[in-house]
Amino acid sequence: MSDVTIRLAQEPAADALLGRSPLAALVGMLLDQQVPMEWAFAGPHTIATRMGGDDLDAREIAAYDPEEFAALLSTKPAVHRYPGSMAGRVQQLCRFLVQRYDGDAEGVWRDAATGAELLKRLTELPGFGKQKSQIFLALLGKQFGVRPQGWREAAGDYGADGAYRSVADITGPESLDKVRSHKQEMKQAAKAARAAAKK
């Protein structure tokens, strides 16, 4: 994966890391729940800096003392709203990458022949359910140029062009606002559906 311009963290150093490091991109996606997107995707850079490097290393994270790693993520400003549990998830992801892909995060998608195969590999990752996997697949296709045959179909609604549904569609502040609006609409629709179901 060559350097690509990413604007998910809306912070130059954090975005530069996401653009050049497959593991940082995966960890950012893992952290992207129950916190603002920019906070989640700035996380990999914060972790790398606190570990004394300019990139993440799956083997190093996998082997890190769990309590020390949790403390690393919990130091203020915390990497996530739930730094302790997310530290465990990040380590779990890195251990899986070490066992399955020899610590090479890009190995998850490098030789995937089809979108369906790539989606299957992503859903095997710890912490990646179907929705998160489809969003990451869409992100790979739209912004990282990883486009195996049928990738848009495998990504579902997130693969659609000009959809503004997820992080896959964020290329700057304007698109970030559009994605936020879409998420708000989805939340309101879900709330209305629950209210209607109770009647």
Side-chain angles (χ1 to χ4, degrees), residues 7-196:
R7 293 194 175 92
L8 297 178
Q10 309 274 307
E11 187 186 298
D15 281 328
L17 177 60
L18 295 170
R20 70 173 188 269
S21 167
L23 180 56
L26 268 181
V27 170
M29 191 72 228
L30 181 69
L31 294 171
D32 185 24
Q33 56 189 65
Q34 297 175 299
V35 293
M37 287 174 277
E38 309 93 300
W39 185 5
F41 282 95
H45 181 255
T46 306
I47 295 169
T49 304
R50 288 178 185 176
M51 290 179 78
D54 61 358
D55 196 356
L56 298 178
D57 183 302
R59 291 181 184 284
E60 189 183 355
I61 292 172
Y64 220 84
D65 176 88
E67 283 186 20
E68 286 180 23
F69 193 67
L72 196 87
L73 270 68
S74 303
T75 302
K76 287 191 166 69
V79 168
H80 195 275
R81 183 177 291 155
Y82 305 107
S85 62
M86 290 315 285
R89 287 188 178 198
V90 171
Q91 285 197 290
Q92 204 180 358
L93 172 65
C94 288
R95 286 186 199 113
F96 182 88
L97 291 171
V98 169
Q99 288 164 0
R100 183 71 63 90
Y101 297 99
D102 199 29
D104 175 17
E106 196 175 357
V108 177
W109 56 85
R110 186 184 291 112
D111 61 351
T114 64
E117 183 187 346
L118 178 49
L119 181 63
K120 181 177 178 291
R121 290 185 187 186
L122 289 168
T123 53
E124 288 170 352
L125 298 173
F128 277 69
K130 187 183 179 189
Q131 185 184 31
K132 193 180 279 285
S133 297
Q134 285 187 311
I135 291 171
F136 192 74
L137 201 163
L139 177 64
L140 286 172
K142 290 178 178 182
Q143 299 201 41
F144 288 96
V146 177
R147 296 169 183 152
Q149 187 185 350
W151 70 271
R152 283 192 191 274
E153 292 78 6
D157 291 342
Y158 302 106
D161 207 13
Y164 297 109
R165 288 175 177 273
S166 71
V167 297
D169 303 295
I170 295 171
T171 53
E174 194 183 322
S175 48
L176 174 65
D177 289 342
K178 287 183 183 177
V179 171
R180 282 241 159 85
S181 299
H182 174 77
K183 287 187 176 240
Q184 286 304 116
E185 284 167 25
M186 296 303 284
K187 273 184 186 168
Q188 282 160 356
K191 201 174 176 180
R194 281 197 300 272

